[in-house]
Amino acid sequence: MREMLEAVSAELKRLRWEGVDAVYVTEETLARLRLAARSQAPAPAAAQVPSAHDLVQARSFEGVQQEAKAALAAEYTGGPISIPSATAGPVRRAPEPAVVVAASPTADVPPPTPFTLPAGSQQEQWNWLKDKVLNDPVCRAHVRPGKHVVLGIGSLEADIFFCGEAPGAEEETQGEPFVGPAGQLLTRMIQAMGLKRDQVYIGNIMNWRPEMDSEFGNRPPSEQEMAYCLPHLRKQLEIIKPKVIVALGGTAIKGLLGADMAIGKARGKWHEWAGIPLMPTFHPSYLLRNNTMKTKRQVWEDLMLVMERIGLPISSKQRGYFTEPPQG
């Protein structure tokens, strides 16, 4: 049960980094969180648990994550859990309970070490970089047993460099970025632009899946982790020389443009990183969870700006993707 609750908390943190303001949570899920806490120690008589009509399905991050934290705290300390009513106005912050926290897995990540590519062709330089990254002692030290360090993949002549945050479970298993459900959606997005996956380059800021105590869920990489891997990202860009970077999701955007750069503020506008034009947009995993016409249209508008920037033709059919059908 502890692992499940930690996974919930980590996933909420990751979604917040991507700019998601609210999540869909059923009453059954909330009930399980309360049950997990009460199974450790009965709540005192003063604790108020809201009735079903007080709960709403669209919960704020602050509310849901506070519940996950409270359930974890109850498991570690035997303390009570108090769940605020979503209809009772702003969430009132209770004193943070004492929680036993394991040592940070990022504590032993050293500062980045700049390096220079050897002379040679694009392919020779990329082969050298791949060997360096896959055998990097820091990267290898943080990879789970039987899993892989992950470097980018694609055309070395690509005009577009799609940059995500970090490998997930499927990626660390296969040793390739964007191979899970989000990667399959990214492939369809690329095809909608009139390109094939092997005509672009796809990579991540991070070379390994960020560690957690639990095998479930993912967490956003820390600043130390991203900083260590950024020289590897810079050298991929130096080899490929793309015309455009597409930053996928809030974590990639913050890692490249700064921690105060929210995705809602950044997307749809041109930025620059390492001297290359950069277009931020939502991560494909966000589209999988928020499959609305509005969100799909926002991402598609960002991609059309990319197409225009590199000179790809845009048909009238493409311009009409994800528009609301006429009424009447």
Side-chain angles (χ1 to χ4, degrees), residues 171-191:
E171 287 76 19
E172 70 170 359
T173 297
Q174 298 188 38
E176 183 177 325
F178 283 91
V179 293
Q184 295 166 17
L185 177 54
L186 177 60
T187 298
R188 296 196 295 273
M189 291 161 60
I190 293 167
Q191 291 170 344

Side-chain angles (χ1 to χ4, degrees), residues 40 52 58-59 83-84 102 114 128 131 154 206 218 232 327:
Q40 301 299 317
R59 297 298 299 264
I83 301 177
W128 180 90
D131 182 71
M206 280 280 294
N218 297 301
H232 302 147
Q327 301 297 317

